[in-house]
Amino acid sequence: ELKVEQNPLFLSMQEGKNYTIYCNYSTTSDRLYWYRQDPGKSLESLFVLLSNGAVKQEGRLMASLDTKARLSTLHITAAVHDLSATYFCAVNTLRDDKIIFGKGTRLHILP
Amino acid sequence: KAGVTQTPRYLIKTRGQQVTLSCSPISGHRSVSWYQQTPGQGLQFLFEYFSETQRNKGNFPGRFSGRQFSNSRSEMNVSTLELGDSALYLCASRFHTDTQYFGPGTRLTVL
């Protein structure tokens, strides 16, 4: 069964700092997604990573994928308060293309 | 293009009742997935429908069921409601294997 683990689950950081969220998954997959969820809101798609070594960047967020290590990272550069949210990674199962989510990383950026 | 819509947005029911939630996907999207989100369990996959057929199913009891209509709209039904069914129910649509786009969710409270 595919398991998706994120860490840390909670992160409080100062504005201006850099940090990385990690997403490990347990079996082979061919797609990894990152989503953002603001409190009381739905999920917003950030990135889709399709191949080993894929890197995507949008503003202060950069996501990368290492399929051999079954690891994706979401790197935050010079954090700003607006990035406070919960970030989810999700992975599809190859056998039946089910999409399984990690528990999410709750990011709180202090001014 | 209009996004994914879900109705109703909020619902209060009592134990033992049943409930039906509705989801209209983005035009052209034939896949609709349902998720349950709770603080304790996170985002859990319920089922996915594609072209009126259930393609995937998560590990939920038979009280949770769904269906999809020829216009790709989907409904989810929960019978014999339990307190633990209180959650945010999210629907997501996608075009083939692309990114999922989530609706605003239905907040179900069971008293």
Side-chain angles (χ1 to χ4, degrees):
Chain A
E1 186 189 326
L2 175 61
K3 286 186 170 38
V4 182
E5 288 184 357
Q6 286 182 239
N7 72 84
L9 295 182
F10 299 97
L11 178 56
S12 185
M13 56 193 287
Q14 296 278 343
E15 272 194 333
K17 299 286 188 187
N18 303 333
Y19 210 80
T20 301
I21 299 170
Y22 297 88
C23 174
N24 284 93
Y25 52 99
S26 59
T27 65
T28 306
S29 174
D30 63 1
R31 263 172 286 128
L32 189 135
Y33 305 87
W34 283 98
Y35 288 89
R36 167 182 172 149
Q37 185 178 37
D38 291 296
K41 301 284 180 68
S42 190
L43 276 76
E44 174 194 348
S45 174
L46 293 172
F47 303 109
V48 182
L49 302 168
L50 300 176
S51 58
N52 188 43
V55 176
K56 289 200 174 175
Q57 182 161 6
E58 179 76 34
R60 299 174 189 273
L61 300 178
M62 183 173 73
S64 66
L65 178 62
D66 180 344
T67 56
K68 290 176 185 169
R70 297 180 187 157
L71 170 70
S72 179
T73 60
L74 181 66
H75 187 73
I76 302 147
T77 302
V80 293
H81 181 67
D82 284 352
L83 290 178
S84 296
T86 300
Y87 293 86
F88 291 91
C89 68
V91 176
N92 71 313
T93 59
L94 279 183
R95 184 170 57 90
D96 51 14
D97 199 33
K98 211 183 282 191
I99 298 177
I100 306 299
F101 280 77
K103 288 201 176 292
T105 296
R106 197 157 154 198
L107 177 63
H108 182 52
I109 298 170
L110 304 165
Chain B
K1 215 181 229 186
V4 179
T5 58
Q6 290 186 245
T7 56
R9 294 292 312 279
Y10 302 91
L11 209 44
I12 298 175
K13 292 283 188 181
T14 55
R15 277 182 297 175
Q17 287 187 307
Q18 76 161 17
V19 67
T20 299
L21 312 181
S22 181
C23 171
S24 292
I26 291 171
S27 177
H29 288 191
R30 290 160 64 189
S31 163
V32 174
S33 296
W34 288 90
Y35 293 86
Q36 182 195 65
Q37 187 176 28
T38 58
Q41 298 298 318
L43 265 165
Q44 293 189 282
F45 172 75
L46 280 154
F47 26 66
E48 179 186 13
Y49 285 87
F50 182 84
S51 293
E52 302 178 66
T53 302
Q54 188 179 84
R55 183 156 75 173
N56 278 313
K57 191 175 182 334
N59 298 324
F60 278 80
R63 300 185 297 108
F64 291 82
S65 63
R67 59 178 175 168
Q68 187 180 33
F69 302 95
S70 58
N71 62 358
S72 294
R73 189 177 70 86
S74 177
E75 285 182 349
M76 192 194 99
N77 185 274
V78 189
S79 62
T80 321
L81 283 166
E82 300 176 359
L83 294 178
D85 296 335
S86 293
L88 179 66
Y89 289 88
L90 289 163
C91 153
S93 76
R94 60 176 168 161
F95 181 75
H96 290 298
T97 59
D98 288 350
T99 300
Q100 286 184 315
Y101 293 89
F102 282 80
T106 294
R107 172 79 59 188
L108 171 65
T109 302
V110 181
L111 302 175

